[in-house]
Amino acid sequence: NVFAKNRGAYDNKKLPAKRRLQSEFSYLAWGQGQIDATPLSMARISSAVANQGKLIETQYVLKTSNGTKNNALQTYKIVDENSANILKSYMQKQSEAVSSDYIIHGKTGTPTRTHKKNGKKININDAWYIFFVKSEKAKGYLSVAVRIEKGIVSKNAVVLTKEVIIPVLESL
């Protein structure tokens, strides 16, 4: 496990800060480096931040019918409310330039995937922008994950959000 072996450098206070902070843990904190998460899982985490630390059970609609079905969804407390509010504030500040019409709370990321091409390992950067926005129609928050494979830098996912996703939100 790459994280277990690199953890020693991160925790070693005897090493210079620059060396300690260039570990995988530091890169992950900024949304870069190797990560085992999908855009859907990141959107779920952002929804927990939006909901004061409560992760609401994912519900998939596979088929619609004429009848109404009101299932009570499970919620799981995954972070305390104060921490969720701190994250929410940070995510809003980072996303101020995305839209002047909506208060958006988001986080960019540039996760790296390793791919084999002609027997050689190459690193590929995807571009992510995970955000949530209040939806009056949905009576809550709408969490969105934007992922561009081989997007190179996360700024590209923000541009796509501005040009494509925000106009879609206006139609909801």
Side-chain angles (χ1 to χ4, degrees):
N1 182 333
V2 70
F3 300 118
K5 90 176 164 187
N6 290 342
R7 179 77 188 199
Y10 183 79
D11 288 338
N12 187 346
K13 304 291 187 214
K14 293 177 184 176
L15 291 174
K18 183 177 180 180
R19 177 145 182 250
R20 284 188 317 110
L21 299 178
Q22 289 179 335
S23 73
E24 283 296 316
F25 293 101
S26 298
Y27 293 133
L28 288 174
W30 294 104
Q32 299 174 332
Q34 297 177 1
I35 187 168
D36 288 332
T38 65
L40 176 60
S41 65
M42 296 305 291
R44 290 189 71 219
I45 293 300
S46 80
S47 75
V49 171
N51 290 298
Q52 290 77 44
K54 291 181 235 127
L55 181 65
I56 298 170
E57 182 180 31
T58 303
Q59 185 174 29
Y60 299 96
V61 178
L62 302 176
K63 186 177 178 182
T64 60
S65 66
N66 291 335
T68 59
K69 194 175 182 183
N70 188 8
N71 290 340
L73 296 176
Q74 290 282 91
T75 60
Y76 307 94
K77 190 78 166 174
I78 62 168
V79 66
D80 67 274
E81 191 170 336
N82 186 51
S83 297
N85 287 331
I86 291 168
L87 284 168
K88 193 174 184 180
S89 173
Y90 165 77
M91 292 171 76
Q92 180 181 347
K93 189 162 190 67
Q94 185 185 23
S95 298
E96 286 174 343
V98 176
S99 173
S100 57
D101 297 329
Y102 298 95
I103 298 173
I104 293 178
H105 307 78
K107 175 69 180 92
T108 57
T110 313
T112 303
R113 292 181 290 123
T114 303
H115 180 70
K116 277 191 174 182
K117 187 174 184 178
N118 299 329
K120 267 186 157 177
K121 284 185 180 180
I122 58 170
N123 289 331
I124 300 169
N125 289 337
D126 291 342
W128 282 12
Y129 182 55
I130 311 298
F131 69 95
F132 59 89
V133 61
K134 194 154 188 100
S135 168
E136 295 305 323
K137 241 184 189 177
K139 298 179 182 153
Y141 287 96
L142 176 65
S143 291
V144 179
V146 176
R147 174 187 177 204
I148 305 173
E149 288 188 3
K150 300 180 186 176
I152 303 175
V153 294
S154 57
K155 178 183 175 188
N156 295 336
V158 173
V159 169
L160 181 68
T161 298
K162 287 180 178 181
E163 293 176 358
V164 178
I165 306 299
I166 298 299
V168 169
L169 290 176
E170 291 170 353
S171 70
L172 297 178

